[in-house]
Amino acid sequence: MLRAQPRLAVARPAALMGILNVTPDSFSDGGTSLASADALVAGVAMAAAGAAWLDIGGESSRPGATGVDAAEELRRVLPVVAGLTARLPDVPLSIDTAKAAVARAALAAGAAMVNDISAGADPGMFAVVADHGCPLVLMHMQGSPQTMQRAPRYDDVVDEVIAFLAGRLRAATAAGVREEAILIDPGIGFGKSVDHNLALLRALPRLTAELGRPLVVGVSRKAFIAGLTGAFPDAAGRDAPSHVLHALLAPHCALLRVHDVAGARAACALAAALAIAPPLLDQVIAAGLEGAHA
């Protein structure tokens, strides 16, 4: 079943994208929604809590993760895509995959966007997206999930991420993907140290200005929070600091990928109600960076 493609609008503050991993080994919620029935319950709950999108993934991209073949990925995600399409006709679904074959099948089953952490490494991905006319997220990653956190290095992380994404944006549009349907993701935690992540978060306005596309940002429960704070060793316990970041980052991006939708929605609503000015982001992150090196 093909859905009408949603209009891609830049939300201010960001809309929330609920993360729904149908995997046994994702870094935070691996196994909790592996059964299709559990994933459907979780997806409906995220939508009820305020998720504007649901992002369904069938292959873990945590550091060191082992990949799965397309057949296994499809076995995991297709029942969930089809089930949520039927249950939540007004909530668009994103398929989180780097495989063109998986993207094609998921779009046919009702997904409305492709979220590709490899930014089109599969030679067939851009053609699939162009054929469907759907939105596409292009993400930066240094290396692969298996290697990305083995001492990542950059001369200038912001310059290099912008250059990479600009190149992938050109490649996608040359292959027929509509530029206005493309979003970009700096890939927080994907081949980056704590300092790299902070530099990119501080540079979100620059990424938007230089690349000209809306941003998707995922900081939820990620390890750099533990590295920066010296606390929260368990991923599932990082919701509170994640929501601090969500509230601060929401004015600077279009979509926030989150695990705890209700908490993220509350944090963003409170920040908006207090009219926290965007420049506070730079102040808070700069203070954190100084503290990390004290």
Side-chain angles (χ1 to χ4, degrees):
M1 162 181 179
L2 290 177
R3 290 190 182 194
Q5 299 304 333
R7 179 173 170 271
L8 189 59
V10 179
R12 289 291 185 270
L16 301 180
M17 173 182 274
I19 299 168
L20 186 54
N21 290 318
V22 193
T23 58
D25 54 346
S26 291
F27 83 96
S28 170
D29 55 355
T32 60
S33 297
L34 184 58
S36 297
D38 293 335
L40 294 176
V41 170
V44 169
M46 287 182 182
W53 284 82
L54 296 176
D55 194 33
I56 302 164
E59 180 178 51
S60 176
S61 57
R62 65 173 174 77
T66 301
V68 299
D69 61 26
E72 174 60 18
E73 195 173 340
L74 286 167
R75 186 191 68 79
R76 294 174 180 180
V77 301
L78 283 185
V80 179
V81 172
L84 289 175
T85 296
R87 289 165 174 77
L88 301 170
D90 297 325
V91 178
L93 308 179
S94 168
I95 181 66
D96 180 355
T97 186
K99 299 182 181 71
V102 174
R104 183 183 299 108
L107 290 166
M113 179 162 69
V114 176
N115 179 14
D116 183 359
I117 66 169
S118 77
D122 184 329
M125 182 63 85
F126 293 156
V128 169
V129 173
D131 288 346
H132 282 266
C134 66
L136 169 67
V137 181
L138 299 173
M139 194 194 81
H140 176 274
M141 172 172 54
Q142 187 179 87
S144 67
Q146 291 78 18
T147 65
M148 63 188 183
Q149 289 305 109
R150 298 177 188 170
R153 292 188 58 189
Y154 302 84
D155 290 330
D156 185 307
V157 66
V158 177
D159 284 349
E160 291 175 46
V161 167
I162 289 174
F164 171 84
L165 290 171
R168 300 316 294 159
L169 180 61
R170 289 192 297 271
T173 56
V177 179
R178 294 175 299 115
E179 182 173 352
E180 61 269 24
I182 297 174
L183 302 94
I184 57 173
D185 183 340
I188 301 301
F190 284 81
K192 281 95 176 174
S193 68
V194 171
D195 287 356
H196 297 146
N197 290 320
L198 289 173
L200 286 166
L201 292 176
R202 295 181 70 187
L204 293 185
R206 181 182 162 196
L207 267 69
T208 300
E210 295 196 21
L211 293 166
R213 302 307 310 140
L215 295 180
V216 179
V217 176
V219 295
S220 182
R221 300 180 180 174
K222 290 193 173 176
F224 84 96
I225 294 171
L228 179 60
T229 63
F232 311 105
D234 297 323
R238 296 176 192 147
D239 280 341
S242 296
H243 296 331
V244 173
L245 288 172
H246 294 148
L248 292 167
L249 297 173
H252 301 278
C253 52
L255 285 173
L256 282 169
R257 294 183 74 249
V258 305
H259 293 92
D260 173 22
V261 174
R265 183 183 183 192
C268 292
L270 288 170
L274 290 171
I276 294 177
L280 183 62
L281 174 67
D282 292 335
Q283 299 170 23
V284 171
I285 291 181
L289 183 58
E290 291 170 4
H293 295 292

